[in-house]
Amino acid sequence: MAKEFTQTTSERPGGWTVWQVTGRIDVATSDDTYAKGEEIVKAKEKIALDMSELEYFSSAGLRVILRLNKLAKKSGHEFTVCGANGMVKSVLEDSGMDVLLKAKESLDELS
């Protein structure tokens, strides 16, 4: 059974804001995901998108992440993805996004 789509934020040492998204990022959730991400990227200097509980990630999700990464760079902020696994990791790798984005295996790698 698919997890309900949720977005939460928390603070970690080192000034990182962790933005955890669970469930799916697809055409149905991409607008809400981008809106929340845009709010976080504008307000915080170090953002880690925790994808460890993400079950599905479509091209709409790729577009969201690409736009947020671009916004963070333009703002002089740091944006990284963490914990991508399974199908989500495959989508990032197959699309070449893993080369464009800063990526960590887990939140424990944040410094």
Side-chain angles (χ1 to χ4, degrees):
M1 179 166 202
K3 292 180 183 175
E4 178 182 343
F5 176 73
T6 62
Q7 301 182 73
T8 58
T9 58
S10 60
E11 302 299 321
R12 284 187 62 103
W16 285 97
T17 297
V18 175
W19 171 35
Q20 183 178 45
V21 180
T22 63
R24 304 168 60 96
I25 300 179
D26 56 20
V27 70
T29 61
S30 63
D31 288 343
D32 287 342
T33 305
Y34 182 78
K36 179 67 173 178
E38 181 181 35
E39 175 185 311
I40 295 167
V41 168
K42 286 181 176 179
K44 304 293 182 173
E45 291 186 21
K46 295 169 85 173
I47 304 95
L49 173 57
D50 182 359
M51 302 176 90
S52 62
E53 297 295 320
L54 202 56
E55 294 177 347
Y56 181 79
F57 189 65
S58 73
S59 60
L62 285 171
R63 201 166 36 256
V64 167
I65 302 306
L66 184 61
R67 290 176 63 201
L68 291 173
N69 187 56
K70 183 177 179 181
L71 177 62
K73 283 184 178 182
K74 182 178 178 184
S75 302
H77 297 176
E78 194 168 347
F79 183 83
T80 189
V81 296
C82 297
N85 55 61
M87 163 293 166
V88 174
K89 185 174 184 176
S90 293
V91 170
L92 289 172
E93 290 172 349
D94 292 348
S95 67
M97 288 290 284
D98 62 323
V99 176
L100 297 174
L101 297 170
K102 291 182 182 177
K104 308 279 186 194
E105 290 291 321
S106 73
L107 293 172
D108 294 333
E109 294 180 19
L110 296 174
S111 56

